Structures are given as structure tokens and as C-alpha cells.
Amino acid sequence: MAGVASGNDFQWCFSQVKGAIDEDVAEADIISTVEFNYSGELLATGDKGGRVVIFQHEQESKNRPHLRGEYNVYSTFQSHEPEFDYLKSLEIEEKINKIRWLQQQNAAHFLLSTNDKTIKLWKISERDKRAEGYNLKDEDGRLRDPFRITSLRVPVLMPMDLMVEASPRRIFANAHTYHINSISVNSDHETYLSADDLRINLWHLEITDRSFNIVDIKPANMEELTEVITAAECHPHQCNVFVYSSSKGTIRLCDMRAGALCDRHSKFFEEPEDPSSRSFFSEIISSISDVKFSHSGRYMMTRDYLSVKVWDLNMENRPVETYQVHEYLRSKLCSLYENDCIFDKFECCWNGSDSAIMTGSYNNFFRMFDRNTRRDITLEASRESSKPRATLKPRKVSTGGKRKKDEISVDSLDFNKKILHTAWHPKDNVIAVAATNNLYIFQDKIN
Amino acid sequence: MAGADGDDSLYPIAVLIDELRNEDVQLRLNSIKKLSTIALALGVERTRTELLPFLTDTIYDEDEVLLALAEQLGNFTMLVGGPEYVHCLLPPLESLATVEETVVRDKAVESLRKISQEHSPVDLEVHFEPLVKRLASGDWFTSRTSACGLFSVCYPRVSSTVKAEIRQHFRTLCSDDTPMVRRAAASKLGEFAKVLELDYVKSDIISLFTALASDEQDSVRLLAVEACVSIATLLPQEDLETLVMPTLRQAAEDKSWRVRYMVADKFSELQKAVGPEITKNDLVPAFQNLLKDCEAEVRAAAANKVKEFCENLPEDNREQIIMTHILPCVKELVSDTNQHVKSALASVIMGLSTILGKDNTIEHLLPLFLAQLKDECPEVRLNIISNLDCVNEVIGIRQLSQSLLPAIVELAEDAKWRVRLAIIEYMPLLAGQLGVEFFDEKLNTLCMAWLIDHVYAIREAATCNLMKLVEKFGADWAQNTIVPKVLGMANDPNYLHRMTTLFCINALSDVCGRDITTKQMLPVVLKMSEDQVANVRFNVAKSLQKIGPVLEKITLQNQVKPVLDKLATDKDMDVKYFAHEALSVLELTYPAHD
């Protein structure tokens, strides 16, 4: 399975778009994270307004056999509210930074959501029965005369319309001085880690009043600060291994078996810098915005401003694969610095079989790379192509002097339309792409 | 009693039943806690056919309600009609055994274990065992983890075919895909082994134990260490070497510090379980390694076990083992880089003196105690001081007093008030061991200085400390050494210090007795009733109420009452309030109609 190519295998086609069509986008509606659960049956998004929306995959209907089934809203809830830290005079935004699903443990589903400071564990459960019958009031809710009770009634459960409830189960607060950038559930199913700019904490999912600090890179004197933690993730199978990336473009792998504190890494991944391309922006663009282990646990992928790199965990001195996401922006770094775009944090994701990867770009473009064929493709999430089953046409940005037909010039790219968050279904070729306040779902075309 | 048109005794029950679904969690919880009352009113028949089916589907509720429900159902046998019908309780407990909240699940399992005993052997096979199987092969790991705790209660009471099935189920869960289930199985392995026939322990349990102890997840491996204790107790000595020791050795050298920590933490239990021979040959070197472990958490856990391990060594060559193998490691730990390790050691090291005797203590241990008394970390010094009694029995505390004093003085003046608080609490103990002369000479000034500490908690502890000292040294000592100083503070310009005088009097009047209280303390208290600070005045009222019972009736009438009467007309509200309260408690008010 390739999943990327536009030719032989299959084509990506539009499936659904969620969110308002208005040109005016409310800040609160901007999607800030997208995540499939382990089975791919549920898809969660978080937004800047602190809301979490969960979509459920509906089984394909017999009437429309050409469709794989759509994702429809299953539950919406307010996960975080804006707060104010009175001790530090700081506003705490409600924006959801990350969502992570837990392995399913019973009929209910659980997820962790976090803003800058507080992580919450949510339970999403269904209820389809309701108790009926009271002793002291009748069916209409009128009170009965308490002195006329001749017999006791035990309530009976009656079927009712399915109701989905989201309830907060645990609140993990007060452990982060800086902004939380990552949460990651460990493969032991009982712990997870949370990372901020300078520290990584390890939590037990059932214990909210304490966490263990496993990494602390805060220098005694903050003026000596040279790098920050940008992302962290637990290994998918080895419960003792986690990695964290830094603003200097390096990744450290730590083994929790070695010691209670993981200040000393066991592996250090760094690609030597090419002195010829060194510039004022080198350090900024080498900062890693996301790190993700492959499902197999053999590789990890990192995203920096201009490229995606795949590392073999057994080789620390350079990545095994490097993919250029939007190399044509190298000449534009100066203006991207001025409009702050250079600090955008693009995420990246693997497909279910680790054979392809996806990451976002500007102008509502997103990129896919096939690791076997080395083919790549640029697609666009746009309202124009959002007709049912419309095939996505590959996009091209002209890099040379002369613009060919169907190509877009670098200067006409819209830098306000950026795709930072994407997710790939864990088994199927279904992807979810967040474009500002819209969530696009694309899938492969079944011929 | 039934009325013409209704039975008013039903009303409270009706309320309870309705409140099972009240919106207020507290009311629901109250109702659930009175579930037996509801069941009693409904009778066994309706409890079985109506109440239990309703409860089976109530698993949407808050954890605390579910927890109470799970607990109630464990005591419900009689309410459903006795052991004959006890199986009716299985469905609600089964659904509770699958919820995600561990405490609720554990309580449901506990109740299931309880009612399993009330099943007849036939019912156990017809109703209970199928439930265990259902849970064990459930889709979700919550139900499979619950199953792990139920095997051991049904195993002894079922036929041999069912036994074989149960063993098979347990085996399956030990190699479950999810680490949660493997952890549950590992934690119940020891318990299950205890009910198995010895042959099956050797054939089944050992292989499961070995597999779990080399699980890829260290969170599973560390639980196997616990199982190791129970399994080793079950096996005859001659089998231990081949069946258990390879795994235990491997665990003590595990790559993961958490597993080694667990070995260190369970070391005394392991030592008892494997017996003296294996201890000498295997555990002594293993313990040495744990004391030298590269991870501080492991060293601290091992350091905690030093005394217990040495105590339990076989007596014939205990001293030799300690002196040649353990003591060198202990010496290194005294200067460990990690303060938790040092303080763990400091909390047990004194215990070694009783084991090693006077000469060894003076020659080898004393230098270590002295070094720890000078440690930079206050917790280490405190731990030594809090355990002085062990040394006192062996060599007497005088040997230490030279170093002890500077250590105490330094802690007494530590910048952290919690450290000061901790040392105050050891003062009575120290006073008892050092004797009154030493105390007067060296420590008395400290005790008085704490009375004017700027932290209230310290001043409060200091007053309490004085009381305990008087209990030890007697009223005469109090009269000569501390009472004058305490009373002197009544003229202090700082009202907080003046109040301390009152607090001290409150604490001391009882132990000092009537004579001192009446002659020395009371005049001071009465004089303070004219203090210009209201807080002092109302504390005078409170003090008078406190010391009143120590005084004679006549003193109360002639001296205390006039002062309280005057305070009762004070311009400050609080002073008035406490004066009135004191008057009524001391029964100094005349009833109005008298």
C-alpha cells in the first residue's frame, strides 16, 4: 500500500468538511489539535475556545455503498475554561494544546486533554436506559400525598434515546510552571508524561496530587538558557523509553530504567549542520516542532520548519530519510520572520503501516511522502474541491523563473492559511486535516 | 401502624427509594448506604426481582456512590433470602467489576470474594465460576483484571475438572496482551499459588512466575518480586535453589531500577522466605550490591532495610557477616551524595548497636553516628536524634553528648521552622535520657528561647514541650527553673510574648499543681486582666477558665470571680464573650431567679 501516489494506487477524494463556511473566523473556533483514537472509530478535535468535539465513524449505509461511512458529531464538551493565575498575574488560555486517547478499557472511551497548564482526563460514555417511577410523585411530576402511600415502588429501567455524556474524571494541575507542549500516554497503560518548555513530568493516570519530574533542563541561572523542550513522546511498545526534542534541532532518547531522573539521555540524535547553508535563521528553522514514533517503534519522525526527517532509533548521527516540505520558502525566510510565521509549529503523522507520512504547509496545502517509492504529493484542503467524492488534484508551486500552467507562484501563497494539525486513521486511508476553523476529512477512492 | 388510607411507616422508605435517583450526590449516597433498610422493607422476594435488577444497571453513577453500592452488596446475603439465593447478587457485582475506577472494581471484587464463601459448592460451580470465566474472557481489560482476584476463592471448593479450567484461565491472563491484566495476574500470583496443590505450584506457577518476572514491561516484572515471597514460602527448601533463586537473582540485577527497588523494599520478607542458608550465600552479596546501587532510590530503599536485614541474619555468624560485609557498605552510605539515602540510613543505623554490642558500637558505629550528627542535611541529624534511645541502652548517651549538643543547638536555630518544630518534639525524650543536670546546663535556654520564636507553631510546641518536661522532672524543678522565666514574660512589651505566658500557664497549671498555680501563676494572670490589648484580656478569661478546676473554691470566689465580672463588662465584644463563658463553665454565675 502506498497511499500517497496520484497515479497507480488510488486517489484521495473529498469526504467531509466540518465547521462554518463564513469568511469571518472566530478565534475560539480555530482547531488546535486533531487526534484519532486507537481503533479509528472516533476522531477528536480541540479548539482555541477550550472545546473538544468528538466525531464517530458511522457504518457505511446500504443505500450509499460507494461511501466508506462518514464521521458525525458524537459528543461536544467544554474541556477547559479561561482562568487567571492570581499569584503570577497571568491569564491562562483555554486553548486545547493536545488531545491523547487512552486504550479502551471498558465500554466507555477516555481521553486526556490539556491547555497550557492543566491536564484533564475525560470519560465519554453512552447511556440508553432511564429509570422511571417515583413513590412521592406521579408520572406528571405532581407530588403525591405522603400519607396515602400504600405500597412501595422500585424504579424500573426503560429504554431511551442514546445519550452521550462527557464527564471529567481527573484533573492534573499545578505541576507545570511553563506551557505544556506535549502529553503522551505510556504503553504500560498506567502512566503518561507531560512536557513543558523546561521540564517533563511523569504521572500515574489515577493519581492527581503528585507527579515525578523526570527531566529538568532549567539552568540555575535563566540567562544561561540556550534551548527549550519542544515536544516529547513515549515509545509505543517499550514502556521505559521516551524521547524529547529541542529547539536546537536535536532529539534525546531516555531510558527510565536507568534512573529515577532522566537528566542524562541514553541516545542523542543530531544531524551535523551544513556550514554552507548557515544563516541568521539556521537555528530558528532547525527547531523541532513535533516528534512522533512510528507504530512499529523502530523509527521516529521529526518536523522542523522546512523538512520532515525520519530517524532510525539505532542510528544517532543522521536521519535515514529527509523530506523537503516547502523548500521554496528558504528564500522567503526574512519575510516569514517578520510576520512571525517562522515560529509556526507544524505537526506530522504516520499512516497506519508507517509507509507514508503527512505534514502541513501554507496556503492550506498539505504534503504526503511515500517512504518506499520516495514519491511526494501536495494537496489542498479547500472549499472549492469539497464536492462529494471529488478527487483532490495535486498542487504545484513554481520554483523556477517561469510559472507553468496550473502552478502557483510562491508570492501568491496565503500565509494566513496554514495546516498545522493533521491525523491519519490508524488502519485505513482516511485523513483528517485541520484548516483554521474547518476540519476536512479525505479518504481513498474505492474504484 | 397502618392508617385507613395509607401506611405512614412506608413514607421514610419511599423517600429513600426516590432519593436513589436524586440529583444531589450526597442524598443518593445516603440512600445507597441505607440500602439494607430499603431491602428489608421490600422483603426478599421484591429485593431479588425488582431492586437488584435496578441496581445492576446503575453503573452510571458517581464513583463514591458505586463504591458504597459495591460494599453494601457484600453484606446482602440475608436480605435476598439467605445463602440459597446469594447468587442473585452476582449480576450487579459483575457490572461493578467492569467499571474503570480501580477503587470501585476492587471493592466489587472484595464483595464477590466475601459472598463466594456463602455459595454452596453446587452454586459455586453453577453460578459463581461461570461469572469468573465470563470476566476472565471479557472484551475489556477491566473485567479481566477483576477476574484475577477471584480465582483463588473458588479454586479450593470446586471439582477437579473445574480446577483445571481455572488454572487454564489464570495461565491465559498471565500472558494477556495488555500490561494492566498481566499486572493484575502478577499481583495475585502469590495468593493463587497458596490455594494450589504443591504439584501444580511446581508445574504451573513456577513457569508463570518465571515468565512474568521476565516480562518486557518493568511494571509487571516488579510485581513478580512480591509473588516471589509467597511462592518461596510454599516450596520446600530443597526446591528453592532451582525453582526460585534464578529468578530472584535476575530481579536483584534487573536493568530497571524500579525492579531492583522492589527487591530492596521487600528484602526482609524475601530473607525470611528463603531461609538462613540461601540468605548467607545469595542474599548477603545481593544486599551489598543494592546498598551500592547506582540509583539513589534503590540505595535508600536498601538502607531502610539495614537494621531488619542484620537482625534476621542467622545468629551463629551474624556479627561476622555484619562486620565484614555489611558495615563497609554502611560506612560508604554515611557520606552518600544523596540526602534521602543518608536520611534513610540515619533512621535505622542506631538499631545496629543493639545487635553488635557495646565494644563494636563504640569502635565502629560511634564514628558513623557522629558523622551523621554533623551532616549538612537537617533530616539526617533529626533521624539520628530521634533514635537515640537504642544507643542509650547499649553505651549510654554520654558518649555522644559532646557531638549531640552542637547538633541540637544548630537544629534548634535552623532557618526552617519545620525543622525547629521537629527537634522540639524530641526534647522530652532527650531530657529523659540526658538527665536533669545536663538539661539545665545546656538545653534549658533553648527551650525558653523557643517561647519567643516568631512562628506561632513553634511557640505553641514550646509550651507543650514545657508541660512534658515538668511531667518528667517534677513540680519542684518547674518552680525553680521555668516558672519564674515564664512569668517574667508577662511584662514583655510584645503582646504576643505576654500571651505566651498565658498559654504556658494553661499548659502548666495541671502538672504544677494547686500550690504553684495559686501562689505564683494566678496573681500574674489576674494582673494581666488590665492589659491594654484585648487579645491578652480575653486570653486571661480563657486561662482562668482553664486553670479554674485546679484552684480552691474560695480562691475562685474571692479572686477569680471579681476579675471575670469586670471583664464581662469589657468594652471589647470578644473579651465579654470569653469572660461570660468562663463564668458559666466555672459555675460562678448566680441563676437569675435565685
Side-chain angles (χ1 to χ4, degrees), chain B residues 375-443:
Chain B
D375 198 277
E376 60 188 8
C377 161
E379 207 182 324
V380 175
R381 283 173 270 151
L382 268 177
N383 280 348
I384 289 288
I385 289 172
S386 60
N387 286 295
L388 280 175
D389 46 340
C390 328
V391 195
N392 198 20
E393 289 159 22
V394 183
I395 57 168
I397 210 161
R398 289 276 163 182
Q399 293 272 6
L400 277 173
S401 55
Q402 280 293 319
S403 314
L404 200 51
L405 198 65
I408 295 172
V409 172
E410 208 175 306
L411 287 169
E413 289 161 1
D414 196 282
K416 294 198 187 73
W417 68 267
R418 282 175 204 279
V419 174
R420 299 201 295 277
L421 187 64
I423 187 75
I424 294 177
E425 275 157 15
Y426 292 117
M427 268 299 141
L429 181 81
L430 282 171
Q433 290 174 2
L434 293 165
V436 65
E437 282 164 43
F438 186 90
F439 184 87
D440 278 348
E441 197 178 314
K442 317 273 186 192
L443 299 179

Side-chain angles (χ1 to χ4, degrees), chain A residues 352-369:
Chain A
S353 61
D354 298 336
S355 62
I357 55 190
M358 167 169 62
T359 191
S361 176
Y362 294 102
N363 204 43
N364 276 358
F365 287 174
F366 58 98
R367 301 267 288 150
M368 286 193 206
F369 305 94

Side-chain angles (χ1 to χ4, degrees), chain B residues 129-282:
Chain B
E129 205 269 337
L131 162 122
V132 178
K133 274 193 215 159
R134 269 200 306 281
L135 287 174
S137 46
D139 282 343
W140 309 119
F141 70 72
T142 45
S143 83
R144 301 202 296 277
T145 51
S146 291
C148 294
L150 295 173
F151 294 119
S152 65
V153 287
C154 39
Y155 190 83
R157 299 177 59 213
V158 292
S159 68
S160 56
T161 35
V162 180
K163 279 186 176 177
E165 285 175 35
I166 292 181
R167 289 196 303 273
Q168 182 51 45
H169 273 294
F170 193 81
R171 251 198 308 277
T172 315
L173 293 183
C174 282
S175 53
D176 196 277
D177 282 344
T178 47
M180 283 291 191
V181 179
R182 296 203 301 278
R183 275 198 293 277
S187 66
K188 299 294 177 192
L189 186 64
E191 175 191 291
F192 189 55
K194 280 186 191 151
V195 298
L196 245 59
E197 297 80 358
L198 187 59
D199 281 347
Y200 289 123
V201 173
K202 288 190 200 174
S203 62
D204 285 30
I205 295 289
I206 295 297
S207 65
L208 296 176
F209 167 61
T210 320
L212 289 169
S214 43
D215 196 281
E216 56 171 14
Q217 297 246 337
D218 51 2
S219 59
V220 178
R221 293 204 299 278
L222 62 88
L223 289 170
V225 175
E226 249 180 315
C228 185
V229 176
S230 337
I231 293 171
T233 339
L234 294 173
L235 293 174
Q237 190 72 31
E238 64 268 23
D239 289 330
L240 286 177
E241 182 54 47
T242 50
L243 298 182
V244 177
M245 287 316 290
T247 310
L248 180 57
R249 277 185 210 115
Q250 177 196 320
E253 289 168 5
D254 197 284
K255 244 185 142 173
S256 166
W257 69 270
R258 292 208 290 166
V259 178
R260 299 197 304 275
Y261 172 92
M262 202 63 170
V263 175
D265 195 49
K266 297 276 168 233
F267 217 83
S268 306
E269 288 94 325
L270 288 167
Q271 182 186 12
K272 281 179 203 147
V274 299
E277 268 317 299
I278 296 182
T279 298
K280 259 189 264 181
N281 302 332
D282 273 280

